[in-house]
Amino acid sequence: MLQDKGLSESEEAFRAPGPALGEASAASAAPVPEPALVAPGLSGAALGSPPGPTADVAAAAEQTVENIKVGLHEKELWKKFHEAGTEMIITKAGRRMFPSYKVKVTGMNPKTKYILLIDIVPADDHRYKFCDNKWMVAGKAEPAMPGRLYVHPDSPATGAHWMRQLVSFQKLKLTNNHLDPFGHIILNSMHKYQPRLHIVKADENNAFGSKNTAFCTHVFPETSFISVTSYQNHKITQLKIENNPFAKGFRGSDDSDLRVARLQSKEYPVISKSIMRQRLVSTQLSAKPDVSPLHSAHQAIQHYQYENGAHMQFAATEPQDLPLNTFPTQRDSSLFYHCLKRRDSARHLDLPCKRSYLEAPSSVGEDLYFRSPPPYDQQMLSPSYCSEVTPREACMYSGSGPEIAGVSGVDDLPPPPLSCNMWTSVSPYTNYSVQTMETVPYQPFPTHFTTTTMMPRLPPISAQSSQPPGNPHFSVYNPLSQSQVRERGPTTSFPRERGLPSVCERKPPSPHLSAANEFLYSQSFSLSRESSLQYHSGMGTVENWTDG
DNA sequence: TCTTCTCGCACCTTTGAATAGT
DNA sequence: AACTATTCAAAGGTGCGAGAAG
């Protein structure tokens, strides 16, 4: 039961010899913010919270979280992409990220349970276009998509569990479907994003609403990317093809060609049809003097070098070829970090994590529903779900609403689709720029970032009193994970991705899962409200950030 | 006309069940 | 009977490229 695909994959990757593991180790050893980086003033007193009776526990929890170190797996690969300007395909059905987000975690308390989750936030408020072989700002960003969290399917799990192997988020999918019913993370095309990893302490000492709930956030700047519906930069295309096993079929030459090339001591570049085509396009677009046969040859050589396992030489290309290199490589960008404790809530609910995460799901009859508030005009309501039956599946928090059911074209759908994420409408992105992080304060969450406003039973940050707890607009929906649904087989005509469940096949959540959702919501709430005050990049400035 | 998006496709890896062998 | 290794088909992940949409 403990073993599922996700874990197996992670373990396999972790065990895999060679560069991947080495990189992971190196990443783990990468400089990690010292405790000093944790912004001061995290104490309850500093924030106006009275010291609680669990001060000792709080201190222990905080220390535990502060000691957590996270290393990005395949950091070198990420850097290669980053130097070329990482692009991630987003599709209606959802597309995995590549490189996938994998981390090695250390410093956890082996016996304490943690929840690991990822969110992807806008890196700036611009829309981009790929012109003249480089990314250029093309205007103001479109309104942010409903924010969603991707909770690692193993969550919650003990520190020993997380530290035992690589933690892989490779099943995380990105979509541009605003009404995505599958729980994928929704993004806008041609926008820049920054994934973030959150580690939430989730043991019995940190009951929901506790003042002492601790968590930390890690950001690896090299994982930032521009979302696209089709690749723009042929360098990225080639990197994907050469590194992603699933794209092996697009590698420029067959085995014999590769063998020939290798036998010929790399004297001849191996160029795929795609790269030829894209280079033609690039050449046509570029009126630059350096766009010449020699230039093309240079690129071909670069490609060839890569084909043959040599390091890519993109760094040697002209600056304009590195438009998305938003994080200067000379700067240690291992991670941004913050650590803090929740201290603003008086609620103390049972934590789902108090129970074994292997615990069998409750019967349908025990399912709870609560709604997220309809705070804004375009608010999308949706149930959220979190699966424990198939813990390896993504557990995302989202919202959905009548629009979704309507759009689905299925009138008799049971409670609207759900995904595992939480979402809500998102206000325009507040300005923080990863690109200029060294000088612009990093604001981890937009003021109205969805993961905060969707918080069930927690007032929206910007409309705190609009939906009091218990408001009928709050609901919880806990559909089955995709794999669970898949086992049941198709039962509806709802448009679906191959192998993905129809929305109406999902079932409501069990009470403890709802509580889990709530816990996570609360954590996100804390992140959004407090991290802004305490987030510390370690290399940039720290700016207080206030609501509204 | 241009840019962006959608969809079907071929190709590939991954997964897991079925089967054979020890 | 239990365990391991192998085989094979289905599921699912890729980028490509034509055409649609705005």
Side-chain angles (χ1 to χ4, degrees):
Chain A
M1 185 62 184
L2 188 60
Q3 291 287 335
D4 78 346
K5 293 179 183 177
L7 182 57
S8 299
E9 289 164 1
S10 297
E11 289 180 329
E12 181 178 357
F14 184 49
R15 295 192 194 105
L21 184 55
E23 289 162 10
S25 298
S28 297
V32 173
E34 298 297 329
L37 288 180
V38 177
L42 292 181
S43 69
L47 292 180
S49 290
T54 57
D56 292 343
V57 174
E62 185 171 29
Q63 180 177 3
T64 296
V65 174
E66 288 178 358
N67 290 337
I68 295 175
K69 296 180 180 180
V70 178
L72 179 65
H73 184 59
E74 296 184 319
K75 199 178 188 73
E76 293 306 312
L77 181 61
W78 274 104
K79 285 183 177 178
K80 285 181 181 178
F81 278 88
H82 189 58
E83 289 168 0
T86 310
E87 296 172 24
M88 293 291 178
I89 291 281
I90 56 175
T91 67
K92 186 176 181 180
R95 198 79 149 188
R96 286 186 177 183
M97 291 175 65
F98 187 87
S100 55
Y101 201 102
K102 297 177 183 177
V103 296
K104 182 73 175 73
V105 183
T106 58
M108 285 178 163
N109 181 329
K111 295 182 179 180
T112 298
K113 286 186 177 180
Y114 301 88
I115 294 169
L116 269 64
L117 57 148
I118 281 181
D119 66 0
I120 299 178
V121 297
D124 56 37
D125 57 355
H126 299 136
R127 178 187 176 85
Y128 291 83
K129 65 177 179 181
F130 194 72
C131 185
D132 293 339
N133 213 29
K134 61 184 176 183
W135 285 102
M136 302 174 67
V137 172
K140 186 174 177 60
E142 294 175 13
M145 288 299 95
R148 286 181 168 180
L149 301 174
Y150 178 90
V151 179
H152 192 284
D154 288 2
S155 301
T158 61
H161 176 88
W162 296 119
M163 294 188 292
R164 191 179 66 212
Q165 62 204 16
L166 277 179
V167 179
S168 172
F169 292 87
Q170 68 184 71
K171 291 190 176 180
L172 183 159
K173 285 188 175 182
L174 311 176
T175 182
N176 59 346
N177 182 4
H178 299 200
L179 302 178
D180 171 73
F182 304 112
H184 302 149
I185 291 180
I186 304 170
L187 305 177
N188 277 319
S189 182
M190 312 303 274
H191 288 60
K192 188 188 297 180
Y193 291 95
Q194 174 66 62
R196 305 183 309 176
L197 170 68
H198 306 289
I199 299 176
V200 181
K201 190 168 180 289
D203 68 0
E204 57 276 14
N205 293 324
N206 285 274
F208 173 73
S210 165
K211 309 172 182 182
N212 309 309
T213 300
F215 67 95
C216 57
T217 296
H218 297 260
V219 176
F220 297 97
E222 58 268 52
T223 60
S224 65
F225 62 86
I226 287 183
S227 56
V228 298
T229 55
S230 62
Y231 291 123
Q232 307 294 307
N233 186 342
H234 70 82
K235 292 179 182 176
I236 293 301
T237 305
Q238 285 310 114
L239 279 171
K240 299 258 185 178
I241 289 173
E242 298 308 324
N243 292 279
N244 190 334
F246 286 107
K248 187 177 181 180
F250 299 97
R251 290 178 185 175
S253 58
D254 58 26
D255 290 345
S256 59
D257 288 341
L258 280 175
R259 282 194 295 271
V260 169
R262 285 165 183 158
L263 286 172
Q264 293 173 335
S265 303
K266 305 178 180 180
E267 291 178 6
Y268 304 100
V270 178
I271 305 174
S272 65
K273 284 192 303 181
S274 64
I275 198 168
M276 288 300 291
R277 180 181 60 83
Q278 293 190 50
R279 282 176 187 164
L280 176 61
V281 172
S282 296
T283 300
Q284 293 171 337
L285 285 173
S286 303
K288 297 179 294 185
D290 61 354
V291 177
S292 64
L294 285 177
H295 178 76
S296 296
H298 177 57
Q299 288 190 319
I301 290 171
Q302 292 173 351
H303 172 67
Y304 169 76
Q305 290 172 324
Y306 188 71
E307 288 268 8
N308 289 277
H311 281 298
M312 293 296 283
Q313 300 298 315
F314 291 157
T317 59
E318 299 81 359
Q320 59 268 31
D321 289 335
L322 308 172
L324 196 59
N325 187 6
T326 57
F327 302 92
T329 54
Q330 66 272 25
R331 174 183 58 192
D332 173 49
S333 60
S334 59
L335 54 86
F336 293 88
Y337 175 87
H338 75 153
C339 247
L340 46 84
K341 297 189 299 180
R342 174 183 174 81
R343 58 185 63 72
D344 60 342
S345 171
R347 285 187 296 274
H348 291 264
L349 304 180
D350 283 343
L351 246 193
C353 14
K354 288 181 179 178
R355 304 165 190 167
S356 166
Y357 62 91
L358 295 179
E359 177 181 346
S362 302
S363 66
V364 173
E366 296 174 312
D367 295 335
L368 290 181
Y369 288 81
F370 62 85
R371 294 176 184 279
S372 56
Y376 309 109
D377 53 350
Q378 298 301 320
Q379 172 87 28
M380 288 185 286
L381 300 175
S382 96
S384 48
Y385 72 76
C386 182
S387 167
E388 281 188 349
V389 175
T390 55
R392 305 297 182 220
E393 291 295 333
C395 179
M396 305 169 101
Y397 294 78
S398 70
S400 69
E403 311 94 301
I404 296 178
V407 169
S408 72
V410 179
D411 295 332
D412 57 347
L413 280 177
L418 341 39
S419 44
C420 301
N421 277 351
M422 311 167 106
W423 72 37
T424 183
S425 61
V426 181
S427 64
Y429 181 76
T430 57
N431 71 335
Y432 87 80
S433 170
V434 171
Q435 192 162 11
T436 57
M437 191 175 292
E438 285 184 317
T439 54
V440 177
Y442 183 90
Q443 297 180 356
F445 274 97
T447 303
H448 299 148
F449 190 66
T450 66
T451 52
T452 71
T453 55
M454 308 182 290
M455 218 72 70
R457 296 177 191 170
L458 284 176
I461 289 175
S462 60
Q464 292 87 338
S465 58
S466 64
Q467 294 297 337
N471 184 297
H473 287 103
F474 285 79
S475 72
V476 162
Y477 183 62
N478 189 359
L480 293 172
S481 69
Q482 293 177 2
S483 65
Q484 288 175 273
V485 175
R486 202 174 297 128
E487 291 173 357
R488 296 185 175 190
T491 60
T492 161
S493 60
F494 184 80
R496 52 191 296 186
E497 178 182 10
R498 179 176 58 181
L500 289 180
S502 160
V503 293
C504 57
E505 296 170 343
R506 295 173 179 159
K507 74 174 186 178
S510 60
H512 57 288
L513 287 181
S514 297
N517 294 348
E518 227 171 320
F519 171 76
L520 287 169
Y521 280 128
S522 72
Q523 298 309 319
S524 294
F525 184 77
S526 295
L527 277 172
S528 65
R529 291 190 63 90
E530 298 185 0
S531 62
S532 61
L533 297 170
Q534 302 154 357
Y535 199 94
H536 209 143
S537 71
M539 60 189 76
T541 59
V542 177
E543 176 186 79
N544 285 348
W545 168 68
T546 56
D547 294 348

